C-alpha cells in the first residue's frame, strides 16, 4: 500500500567531480521496431487495441491454430481472418516465424510471403473500427482474405460492381471487406487479383454510410497506419524511461503501450481490466490503477476522465443499503455494488491524481461523491470502533469469506476519511473537515489495539462479526504498514509476508505447499515495503523475472493477472501492469510529484542492475526530465523542467553504499539544468553552469535499514 505524502492537503492545496558537470547525455529515441518480439518456436498471443473498444487478438508460433479474432465492446465481429495465396491458406501450421510489434503482427511464411495485421484507430467516429491486412511477396496470382463473421452477423449483397463483401451487424452497422488494387468479392472473402501484394481493409461503418466509404478509407490505410505508429512512439518518448537494464527497458515500453491500449476513450472513459474482455467495466481494477496509468502515459486528462466515469455510477440514493458506494461491476444497465473497498480506493487514487495533475476542477466536481461515500459508510457500514464493516465476500479476494472487517479495507477507510478531511478544508467545509479528521484518528487508534498482536508481531487478516481475529497469513497485512505504531511491528509484518508469500515469480495469496495463486499486482505493495527497508535487491529479482515474462511468455508485451494461470487464466491484467509501472517510478526511482506543495520528491532505492536511469515525469502538463547515475561512492541526480512555471522545490534523499544518507532540499528553476553531485563527505549543487547552494542538507549516519531486514528472504 502506498503511503500518502508527508504533507497535509490543506488550505495550501491547489492555490571527485569539482565543477566538471557534463551535459545530460542525448536520449536514444524509442522506436517500435526496437521493441520487436520475435516468435520462433513456442506460440505467443498478441493484443492490439484501437482505444475505442475494438481489440484484435490472435496466436502465432509453432503449433498455433488460433487465427486472428476481432472484437468490439467485448463481442465477436470476425472470429477468423485467414489470408490465402495460390489457393494455399496461410495458417499457423505453415508459419516460419513471426514478429510482434505494438502496431502490427508480421507473419512470415515459406516462400517469403509476409502477412501484416494491424488494427486501425481514429477513423472518424467512435462507432467506426477497422483492421488492415497487408500481404506482400506472395506468389503470382490471386490473393484472398477469408473472413468468418461471428454469429448473428448477416451476409449482404456485394458492394458496387462486386468490389467488396458486406455484412450487417445486429445493431444495423455495416461490416465491409474491401481490397486493392483490384478487389473482387467472393462469398465471405475478397480476392485481390494482384502480382504479389494486396491491401485488405475490414471496416465497421455507421448504418447509413455507403460502402464506398470503405474504399476511401482503404486508400488512406498507409497514412492511418503511419499515424498510429507515430502516436505510439510519441507516447513512449514523451513518457521516457531508459535504464541500464535493457530487459526492463523493453518490458516497461511494452507495458506502457499495452496500458494505453486498455484505456477506452468515450463518454464512459475507462480501462479494460483484462483480456479476454466481455465488454463490462471492472471498477475496482480501474480505481486501483489510476496512479500507474498516469505515470505510464503522462496523460492526466485520461485518468481524470476515468475518475469521472466511476463517479457517475455512485449509488446516490439515500434510501439504498449501498448508499455512497461505487460499483464493482458495470455491464450496460446492470450495475452492482458488492465492493466495500472500491469507494476508499477511488478517494485514495483521486488524491494521487490531483497532486500529480493539479486538477482543481476535478476536486470541486467530485467533492459531493467523496462526501456521499463517507456519509453512506458512517450511516450504514461502521461499528463502534469506526471500522468499515462489509459482507464476507466484498473485498478484492471475492472468492474467500473474510468476516466483516478485512484488514486492508480499514487502511483504505482510514485514508478515505483523512483525504476527505483535507479536501473539505480546501473547499471551506470546516465542519466536515473536523468530523472526518477526528473519525480517522479513532479508526487508527482502534486499529492497533484490535488487529495487531505485538507479541507475535502479526496483524489479523480480518475480524469476524464477533470480533475474533483471523490469523491466516495473507498479503493484505503488508498493505497496512502506515497504520502501525511501532517500527518493530512494521518490520515483523514485512518479514512474515516476504518469508512466507514472496516467491521468485511473485507474491502468493496464501502460505504453505498449495499457497494460492501468484497475483501480479501484489508485487506493488511488496516492492514498496522492501524498498522501504533497502531490500530492493530482493524485490528486483522478481521485478526482472516479471519483465522477462513480458517479453518471452504469454500474451506479448503484457502481464497476466495470475502467474502460470493455466487455460482459465486472464492475460493483459490492468492492475498487474499498472502496479509494475508505479513501482518503477515511485519505489525504485523514488519519484513523487506534489503540485499542491509545488514539490518534487526524489528518493531513489536503486537495485544493483540500475546504475543509469534517464526518465521523464509529469507535473500536470509540464514535463520534468531527469537522470540518476552512480559510480562507486558518487551519485548524481540531474533534473530539468523546460516550461514549469515558477520552478519547484526538490526534496532529495540519497542512500550511499556504506548505509549513510544525504537528505536535503534545493530549488529547481524553470529551464535551468539542475545537477546534484553526492559524495561520501559532501553534496554539491549546480544550477546551469553555476555552483548553487542547497536550502538544506544533512548527513544521516547509518540511515539504511538493510541490516534490520537482513533476515528477509524468499518463501521456500
Amino acid at each position: 500500500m502506498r503511503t500518502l505524502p508527508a504533507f497535509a492537503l490543506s488550505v495550501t492545496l491547489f492555490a571527485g567531480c569539482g565543477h566538471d558537470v557534463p551535459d545530460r547525455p542525448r536520449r536514444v529515441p524509442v522506436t517500435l521496431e526496437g521493441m520487436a518480439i520475435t516468435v520462433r518456436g513456442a506460440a505467443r498471443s498478441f493484443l492490439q487495441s484501437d482505444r475505442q473498444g475494438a481489440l484484435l487478438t490472435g496466436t502465432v508460433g509453432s503449433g498455433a491454430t488460433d487465427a486472428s479474432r476481432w472484437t468490439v465492446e467485448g463481442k465477436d465481429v470476425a472470429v477468423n481472418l485467414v489470408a490465402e495465396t495460390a489457393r494455399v491458406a496461410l495458417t499457423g501450421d505453415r508459419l516460419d516465424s513471426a514478429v510482434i510489434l505494438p502496431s502490427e503482427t508480421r507473419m512470415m511464411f515459406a516462400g517469403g510471403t509476409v502477412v501484416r495485421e494491424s488494427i486501425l484507430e481514429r477513423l472518424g467516429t467512435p462507432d467506426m473500427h477497422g483492421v488492415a491486412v497487408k500481404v506482400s511477396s506472395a506468389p503470382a496470382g490471386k490473393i484472398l482474405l477469408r473472413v468468418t463473421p461471428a454469429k448473428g452477423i448477416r451476409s449482404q449483397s456485394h458492394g458496387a460492381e462486386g468490389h467488396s463483401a458486406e455484412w450487417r451487424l445486429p445493431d444495423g452497422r455495416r461490416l465491409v471487406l474491401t481490397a486493392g488494387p483490384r478487389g473482387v468479392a467472393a462469398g465471405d472473402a475478397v480476392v485481390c487479383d494482384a502480382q504479389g501484394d494486396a491491401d485488405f481493409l475490414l471496416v465497421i461503418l455507421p448504418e447509413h454510410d455507403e460502402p464506398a466509404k470503405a474504399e476511401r478509407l482503404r486508400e488512406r490505410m498507409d497514412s492511418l497506419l503511419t499515424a498510429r505508429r507515430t502516436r505510439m512512439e510519441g507516447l513512449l518518448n514523451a513518457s521516457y524511461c531508459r535504464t541500464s537494464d535493457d530487459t526492463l527497458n523493453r518490458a516497461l515500453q511494452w507495458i506502457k503501450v499495452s496500458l494505453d491500449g486498455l484505456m477506452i476513450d468515450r463518454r464512459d472513459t475507462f480501462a479494460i481490466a483484462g483480456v479476454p474482455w466481455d465488454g463490462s467495466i471492472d471498477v475496482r481494477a480501474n480505481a486501483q490503477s489510476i496512479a500507474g496509468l498516469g505515470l505510464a502515459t503522462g496523460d492526466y486528462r485520461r485518468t481524470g476522465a476515468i475518475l469521472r466515469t466511476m463517479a457517475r455510477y455512485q449509488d446516490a440514493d439515500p434510501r439504498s443499503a449501498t448508499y455512497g458506494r461505487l460499483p464493482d461491476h458495470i455491464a450496460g444497465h446492470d450495475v452492482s455494488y458488492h465492493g466495500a473497498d472500491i469507494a476508499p480506493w477511488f478517494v485514495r487514487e483521486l488524491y494521487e491524481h490531483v497532486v500529480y495533475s493539479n486538477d482543481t476542477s476535478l476536486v470541486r466536481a467530485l467533492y459531493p461523491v467523496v462526501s456521499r461515500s463517507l456519509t453512506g459508510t458512517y450511516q450504514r457500514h461502521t461499528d463502534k470502533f469506526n471500522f468499515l464493516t462489509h459482507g464476507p465476500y466484498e473485498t478484492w479476494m471475492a472468492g474467500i469469506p473474510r468476516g466483516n472487517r478485512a484488514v486492508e479495507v480499514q487502511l483504505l477507510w482510514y485514508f478515505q476519511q483523512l483525504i476527505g478531511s483535507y479536501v473539505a478544508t480546501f473547499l471551506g467545509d470546516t465542519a466536515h473537515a473536523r468530523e472526518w479528521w477526528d473519525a480517522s484518528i479513532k479508526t487508527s487508534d482502534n486499529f492497533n489495539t484490535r488487529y495487531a498482536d505485538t507479541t507475535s508481531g502479526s496483524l489479523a487478516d480480518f475480524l469476524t462479526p464477533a470480533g475474533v481475529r483471523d490469523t491466516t497469513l495473507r498479503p493484505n497485512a503488508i498493505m497496512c504498514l502506515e497504520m502501525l505504531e511501532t517500527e518493530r511491528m512494521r518490520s515483523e509484518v514485512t518479514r512474515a509476508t516476504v518469508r512466507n508469500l514472496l516467491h521468485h515469480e511473485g507474491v502468493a495469496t496464501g502460505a504453505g505447499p498449495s499457497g494460492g495463486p501468484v497475483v501480479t499486482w501484489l508485487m506493488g505493495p511488496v516492492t514498496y515495503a522492501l524498498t522501504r527497508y533497502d531490500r530492493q535487491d530482493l524485490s528486483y529479482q522478481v521485478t526482472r523475472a516479471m519483465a522477462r515474462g513480458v517479453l518471452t511468455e504469454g500474451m506479448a508485451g503484457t502481464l497476466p493477472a495470475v502467474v502460470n494461470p493455466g487455460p482459465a487464466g486472464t492475460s493483459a491484467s490492468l492492475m498487474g501492469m499498472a502496479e509494475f509501472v508505479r513501482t518503477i517510478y515511485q519505489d525504485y526511482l523514488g519519484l513523487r510529484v506534489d503540485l499542491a506543495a509545488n514539490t518534487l520528491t526524489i528518493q531513489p532505492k536503486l537495485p544493483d542492475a540500475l546504475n543509469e536511469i534517464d526518465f521523464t515525469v509529469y507535473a500536470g502538463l509540464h514535463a520534468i526530465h531527469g537522470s540518476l547515475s552512480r559510480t562507486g561512492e558518487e551519485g548524481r541526480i540531474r533534473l530539468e523542467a523546460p516550461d514549469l512555471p515558477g520552478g519547484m522545490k526538490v526534496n532529495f534523499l540519497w542512500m550511499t553504499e556504506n548505509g549513510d544518507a544525504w537528505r536535503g532540499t534545493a530549488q529547481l528553476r524553470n529551464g535551468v539544468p539542475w545537477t546534484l553531485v553526492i559524495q561520501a563527505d559532501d553534496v554539491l549543487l549546480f544550477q546551469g553552469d553555476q555552483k548553487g547552494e542547497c536550502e538544506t542538507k544533512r548527513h544521516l549516519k547509518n540511515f539504511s535499514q538493510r541490516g534490520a531486514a537482513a533476515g528477509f528472504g524468499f518463501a521456500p
Side-chain angles (χ1 to χ4, degrees):
M1 177 63 61
R2 289 100 70 190
T3 182
L4 287 168
F7 69 89
L9 190 67
S10 63
V11 292
T12 62
L13 169 63
F14 319 127
C17 109
H19 293 270
D20 179 20
V21 183
D23 293 336
R24 188 168 64 85
R26 291 178 60 84
R27 289 182 165 177
V28 178
V30 180
T31 65
L32 298 191
E33 290 293 333
M35 298 167 59
I37 294 176
T38 301
V39 181
R40 293 188 182 92
R44 300 290 305 278
S45 56
F46 64 87
L47 165 68
Q48 296 180 33
S49 165
D50 72 352
R51 307 198 311 164
Q52 291 188 314
L55 303 179
L56 180 67
T57 59
T59 306
V60 294
S62 296
T65 57
D66 295 342
S68 299
R69 179 180 295 260
W70 190 31
T71 64
V72 177
E73 299 293 338
K75 296 181 174 61
D76 285 333
V77 175
V79 296
N80 205 353
L81 301 177
V82 177
E84 181 179 307
T85 63
R87 298 186 178 181
V88 175
L90 301 178
T91 52
D93 56 343
R94 298 180 180 276
L95 188 72
D96 282 350
S97 63
V99 173
I100 302 175
L101 297 164
S103 56
E104 69 175 17
T105 299
R106 299 176 193 154
M107 294 162 280
M108 281 68 80
F109 295 89
T113 300
V114 179
V115 178
R116 293 176 169 86
E117 293 184 355
S118 307
I119 205 164
L120 297 174
E121 58 185 44
R122 298 179 178 176
L123 296 185
T125 62
D127 58 350
M128 289 177 60
H129 308 276
V131 172
V133 180
K134 299 172 75 72
V135 182
S136 60
S137 302
K142 299 184 187 305
I143 304 172
L144 178 146
L145 182 69
R146 191 176 302 280
V147 174
T148 304
K151 292 181 179 178
I153 297 178
R154 307 188 309 275
S155 180
Q156 295 282 102
S157 59
H158 299 312
E161 301 180 5
H163 291 318
S164 61
E166 298 177 39
W167 299 266
R168 183 72 68 171
L169 274 62
D171 63 5
R173 287 181 292 173
R174 298 173 183 266
L175 176 63
V176 180
L177 175 62
T178 185
R182 293 182 296 276
V184 179
D188 286 343
V190 166
V191 176
C192 183
D193 189 3
Q195 296 297 313
D197 297 286
D199 294 342
F200 297 93
L201 175 64
L202 183 62
V203 63
I204 294 174
L205 299 176
E207 182 176 4
H208 301 296
D209 278 3
E210 292 299 320
K213 187 172 185 177
E215 180 61 23
R216 294 194 296 272
L217 285 171
R218 191 197 60 75
E219 291 171 353
R220 295 175 48 218
M221 196 162 69
D222 286 343
S223 64
L224 290 168
L225 292 171
T226 298
R228 186 165 185 266
R229 289 192 297 270
T230 300
R231 184 193 64 76
M232 288 181 168
E233 289 180 343
L235 163 70
L236 293 171
N237 285 293
S239 174
Y240 192 88
C241 187
R242 192 182 292 275
T243 76
S244 47
D245 186 340
D246 191 55
T247 297
L248 178 66
N249 295 339
R250 295 180 65 225
L252 187 57
Q253 291 159 6
W254 263 105
I255 285 178
K256 285 182 176 183
V257 292
S258 295
L259 285 172
D260 175 68
L262 291 182
M263 286 193 276
I264 305 303
D265 295 323
R266 60 184 194 190
R267 180 183 181 273
D268 277 348
T269 300
F270 65 97
I272 297 169
V275 177
W277 178 46
D278 63 2
S280 65
I281 303 176
D282 182 329
V283 182
R284 179 183 283 110
N286 277 259
Q288 287 189 230
S289 301
I290 293 296
L293 290 171
L295 290 165
T297 65
D299 189 348
Y300 292 106
R301 291 167 296 189
R302 294 178 83 193
T303 52
I306 293 173
L307 288 164
R308 289 178 186 273
T309 292
M310 290 188 282
R312 277 196 290 272
Y313 288 91
Q314 184 181 37
D315 185 347
D317 182 357
R319 299 165 298 178
S320 171
T322 55
Y323 173 62
R325 278 193 179 184
L326 269 68
D328 60 312
H329 188 257
I330 303 169
H333 297 293
D334 183 11
V335 182
S336 61
Y337 296 90
H338 301 311
D341 56 334
I342 297 169
W345 265 118
F346 168 86
V347 174
R348 175 66 184 85
E349 294 297 286
L350 171 63
Y351 179 96
E352 187 97 4
H353 168 84
V354 170
V355 296
Y356 273 81
S357 67
N358 205 23
D359 190 349
T360 59
S361 64
L362 186 68
V363 173
R364 294 181 184 279
L366 298 189
Y367 180 60
V369 177
V370 174
S371 180
R372 277 193 295 267
S373 74
L374 289 162
T375 300
T377 305
Y378 288 133
Q379 290 178 350
R380 294 175 173 82
H381 300 289
T382 53
D383 63 8
K384 64 182 180 180
F385 306 110
N386 199 36
F387 294 151
L388 191 158
T389 60
H390 54 77
Y393 296 99
E394 291 185 338
T395 75
W396 75 272
M397 304 183 87
I400 299 173
R402 298 179 64 213
N404 74 335
R405 288 162 289 181
V407 65
E408 79 284 1
V409 173
Q410 308 316 314
L411 179 280
L412 291 165
W413 168 235
Y414 166 73
F415 278 149
Q416 182 183 3
Q417 297 171 92
L418 197 63
I419 293 165
S421 175
Y422 295 164
V423 176
T425 300
F426 163 63
L427 294 175
D429 186 354
T430 55
H432 276 126
R434 186 67 195 180
E435 174 190 348
W436 297 339
W437 174 270
D438 290 344
S440 74
I441 299 303
K442 182 178 179 180
T443 301
S444 178
D445 289 346
N446 285 318
F447 182 88
N448 282 276
T449 59
R450 299 292 165 178
Y451 284 83
D453 182 340
T454 55
T455 302
S456 64
S458 65
L459 276 180
D461 185 61
F462 61 84
L463 302 181
T464 69
V468 177
R469 300 173 69 254
D470 180 89
T471 59
T472 304
L473 182 60
R474 296 195 177 104
N476 304 299
I478 206 169
M479 304 180 201
C480 302
L481 300 185
E482 278 67 48
M483 289 280 278
L484 298 174
E485 292 179 339
T486 67
E487 187 55 45
R488 176 183 172 273
M489 278 295 299
R490 288 189 284 269
S491 175
E492 289 301 316
V493 167
T494 303
R495 186 189 310 273
T497 303
V498 169
R499 295 184 67 176
N500 291 280
L501 302 178
L502 181 64
H503 301 270
H504 286 85
E505 65 272 19
V507 183
T509 56
S514 57
V518 172
V519 177
T520 54
W521 78 264
L522 288 173
M523 197 57 206
V526 170
T527 299
Y528 165 72
L530 285 171
T531 53
R532 188 179 183 279
Y533 283 97
D534 302 303
R535 290 304 310 272
Q536 55 268 22
D537 61 312
L538 202 60
S539 63
Y540 194 70
Q541 293 182 54
V542 184
T543 299
R544 199 168 193 279
M546 294 170 73
R548 285 195 301 270
V550 170
L551 303 175
T552 62
E553 300 172 3
M555 182 171 279
T558 72
L559 281 171
V562 176
V563 176
N564 300 321
T570 300
S571 296
S573 165
L574 172 66
M575 289 193 297
M577 293 191 291
E579 276 296 275
F580 185 91
V581 172
R582 190 202 60 75
T583 61
I584 301 302
Y585 282 88
Q586 292 189 347
D587 298 335
Y588 293 126
L589 275 65
L591 291 167
R592 289 183 181 273
V593 173
D594 173 10
L595 285 175
N598 198 35
T599 300
L600 171 67
T601 297
I602 182 163
Q603 301 181 352
K605 296 295 183 75
L606 301 180
D608 291 341
L610 304 185
N611 288 314
E612 298 277 348
I613 304 107
D614 196 355
F615 63 86
T616 293
V617 67
Y618 281 83
L621 299 175
H622 306 287
I624 301 173
H625 307 300
S627 65
L628 306 173
S629 63
R630 62 182 177 190
T631 305
E633 289 293 322
E634 181 178 290
R636 295 186 184 220
I637 304 173
R638 296 180 178 89
L639 298 170
E640 187 172 359
D643 63 350
L644 186 66
M648 72 190 328
K649 179 185 287 188
V650 179
N651 295 330
F652 63 85
L653 175 69
W654 184 276
M655 301 292 302
T656 59
E657 290 292 322
N658 64 1
D660 293 351
W662 281 98
R663 169 180 280 163
T665 61
Q667 287 295 322
L668 173 64
R669 297 201 300 266
N670 182 18
V672 178
W674 184 102
T675 303
L676 196 70
V677 181
I678 305 104
Q679 299 173 315
D681 57 352
D682 201 3
V683 172
L684 303 176
L685 175 66
F686 295 87
Q687 294 168 314
D689 57 0
Q690 302 295 314
K691 190 173 185 299
E693 292 293 335
C694 295
E695 294 181 349
T696 63
K697 64 179 179 182
R698 183 182 176 191
H699 189 211
L700 306 171
K701 297 288 290 183
N702 301 317
F703 188 75
S704 173
Q705 297 195 64
R706 179 183 288 264
F712 293 5
F714 288 104

